[in-house]
Amino acid sequence: MAIIGAGFGGICAAIRCLQSGFDDLVVFERASAVGGTWEANTYPGAQCDIPSALYSFSFAPNPEWTRLYPLQREIQAYIARCADDFDVTPHVRCGHDVTDASWDDLAQVWRLTVNGSVVTADVLVGATGPFSEPAHPDIPGLDDFEGDVIHSARWDHTWSPTGKRVAVIGTGASAVQFVPRIQPNAQHLTLFQRTPTWILPHPDRPVPRAIRRMFARVPCTQRAVRGACSLVQELMVPGLVSHPGILKPAAALGRWHLRRQVDDDALRAALTPTYQFGCKRPTFSNKYYPALSAENASVVTDAIVRVHPTGIETADGAVHEVDSILLGTGFKLAAGEGFSRIHGRDGRSLSDTWGTGEMAAYMGTSVAGFPNFFLILGPNSVVYTSQVVTIEAQVDYLLDALTGMRDRGIRSIDVTRAAQDRFVDEVDAGLAASVWNTGGCASYYLSPSGRNVTFWPGFVFTFRRAMRHVRWDDFDVVRDTDLPGRPSVESTSAAVRR
């Protein structure tokens, strides 16, 4: 088995597979260390927006989180510690970039090109995650800018804002976190805002040492906190999925937070969202609005026309002279390079199969035409809580598939197009009234055609239940007995050790 990616998804898959006796596996990670999203995103202020009690594997609680919302460096350290504690580290190959993975239908194996060498695997797990490849905006002249251009996911820690005129493009979760860290030292910070973000008061607090000791000595207390946090997250599902009116109190809290922190009427108007709460990803911050209210900060809402070598021109004709440009512009999803490297039975890549962003998968995990391929955090698998929960449910599904294949003498499984189309139709119907679809905004949750390619249309427990067992009738199956004279192949691990 080959696993691409050593973030939460890849490490969880490796841990559970090893525990279940599927030990002929390798984890390929192109970065120099494990951590995935939390290895890549090291910008100032990087922090998870899910409570720390929820942001860990259920089988590996972490009583040592220092804050209610975990910091980037602690999350990466946690993932690395889990890899060590569960004996996954010997199976991880950091600095190994999978440049191609193609299904060989004759041999019934995946052939991977890794750092120029070819290895084979019976099963391929794609755990690259949705936030692995930065998206750079297509703005004329950006490549000709004479100053620094830094994306939040490729932060340059040698760069300093001190004394610089800094432009920030993008107002998503990353920008909300790094803007307050940059503004105090910048000569001037200019935020170029296309769409304002719903921002709520941040409940983050340090976790007292006494509480951490209690969690370590009496684990059931931390499990209770985890359950309470999960319940709070789940209470938002009806409002998000079917009855957006339920979210009005959250919107009222957001407007109150804005009024409380921004006195200037014009700035407050510019920062007030005009779409429903929840349509775009809301975030938490107690420092973002004060940073934008400072004397050395300004918010520009006119569209960017082009970038000049020393500044940014907007639609009103103004040219804003800046020394550095910081991009908080998110990530490529369907257009990610990783999807162009995975080729199915007919030779087409995932990117080609999905076209211009119309991602589709069965149970968010299997894609028709890609046998023995399991996608972690694939289309319509996201539940509105910790994505570690989604990952664990998908790994349960992977294990049920592997066990069934071993016990039934199955060489490969490929979800049928009819089953995948049926799943997509059911999801689309379940999300038709959701705030993501009807809230009046454009977001990365939606494909170019407007289809919601991100969320599961229901509660966490319904997703877990659906992922508990493979529905074998939904798959085309090739058994070992169907392959007389099949060419022998090397195991993945053996090939990697050469």
Side-chain angles (χ1 to χ4, degrees), residues 283-486:
T283 189
F284 301 99
S285 180
N286 298 326
K287 300 178 180 179
Y288 180 69
Y289 289 147
L292 297 180
S293 300
E295 291 185 0
N296 70 330
S298 57
V299 175
V300 175
T301 58
D302 293 288
I304 296 174
V305 174
R306 64 180 57 85
V307 175
H308 295 282
T310 61
I312 297 175
E313 181 182 348
T314 48
D316 61 350
V319 177
H320 306 265
E321 297 291 330
V322 297
D323 303 306
S324 301
I325 298 176
L326 306 182
L327 302 176
T329 49
F331 300 85
K332 299 177 183 178
L333 297 181
E337 184 181 357
F339 294 141
S340 70
R341 301 178 178 188
I342 299 173
H343 299 83
R345 174 178 282 125
D346 62 3
R348 292 201 304 162
S349 69
L350 268 177
S351 295
D352 291 338
T353 300
W354 286 339
T356 58
E358 300 300 322
M359 297 188 291
Y362 172 81
M363 306 302 291
T365 309
S366 301
V367 181
F370 292 78
N372 287 10
F373 176 61
F374 298 87
L375 191 59
I376 303 296
L377 294 180
N380 297 115
S381 67
V382 173
V383 293
Y384 205 77
T385 180
S386 166
Q387 295 321 303
V388 182
V389 175
T390 296
I391 289 167
E392 288 195 35
Q394 289 184 296
V395 171
D396 286 342
Y397 185 84
L398 166 66
L399 289 174
D400 191 62
L402 294 176
T403 301
M405 292 169 67
R406 179 190 61 196
D407 295 347
R408 302 178 187 205
I410 294 173
R411 184 60 188 169
S412 69
I413 60 173
D414 185 10
V415 67
T416 67
R417 175 66 61 179
Q420 180 172 300
D421 290 346
R422 184 180 69 247
F423 172 79
V424 169
D425 290 343
E426 291 171 354
V427 165
D428 289 350
L431 293 171
S434 71
V435 70
W436 307 299
N437 291 40
T438 64
C441 73
S443 73
Y444 68 82
Y445 299 151
L446 307 181
S447 72
S449 71
R451 179 177 177 267
N452 192 323
V453 296
T454 306
F455 287 99
W456 170 262
F459 294 97
V460 168
F461 77 87
T462 63
F463 183 72
R464 284 175 171 158
R465 183 175 59 198
M467 301 301 289
R468 194 168 297 149
H469 298 293
V470 173
R471 300 176 184 175
W472 293 98
D473 290 344
D474 287 342
F475 289 83
D476 289 327
V477 171
V478 175
R479 300 180 183 275
D480 290 332
T481 54
D482 298 329
L483 300 167
R486 178 176 59 86

Side-chain angles (χ1 to χ4, degrees), residues 156-279:
D156 180 359
H157 290 277
T158 66
W159 175 85
S160 170
T162 302
K164 291 186 174 70
R165 297 165 299 176
V166 180
V168 176
I169 300 176
T171 56
S174 299
V176 170
Q177 291 182 342
F178 71 68
V179 162
R181 299 296 187 96
I182 301 303
Q183 171 270 319
N185 295 317
Q187 176 184 328
H188 191 86
L189 183 145
T190 305
L191 177 74
F192 292 85
Q193 174 186 273
R194 184 174 59 180
T195 308
T197 299
W198 281 103
I199 298 175
L200 300 180
H202 206 317
D204 185 41
R205 296 289 187 278
V207 178
R209 188 174 298 275
I211 298 297
R212 285 181 269 157
R213 284 199 299 264
M214 180 184 69
F215 286 162
R217 295 172 182 174
V218 189
C220 64
T221 57
Q222 190 174 26
R223 288 197 296 271
V225 173
R226 182 184 179 97
C229 291
S230 180
L231 178 61
V232 170
Q233 296 288 129
E234 287 283 76
L235 288 175
M236 297 188 68
V237 171
L240 293 166
V241 173
S242 56
H243 298 86
I246 296 175
L247 301 175
K248 287 182 178 180
L253 177 61
R255 286 190 291 268
W256 171 82
H257 187 49
L258 176 58
R259 288 195 305 270
R260 182 171 65 107
Q261 293 199 318
V262 178
D263 293 329
D264 184 86
D265 291 341
L267 179 59
R268 191 187 317 119
L271 295 174
T272 300
T274 58
Y275 54 89
Q276 284 186 271
F277 180 89
C279 184

Side-chain angles (χ1 to χ4, degrees), residues 8-31:
F8 266 112
I11 296 302
C12 182
I15 290 172
R16 296 294 311 283
C17 284
L18 290 174
Q19 290 176 332
S20 301
F22 299 101
D23 55 3
D24 186 12
L25 63 85
V26 66
V27 182
F28 293 118
E29 171 55 58
R30 66 183 176 185

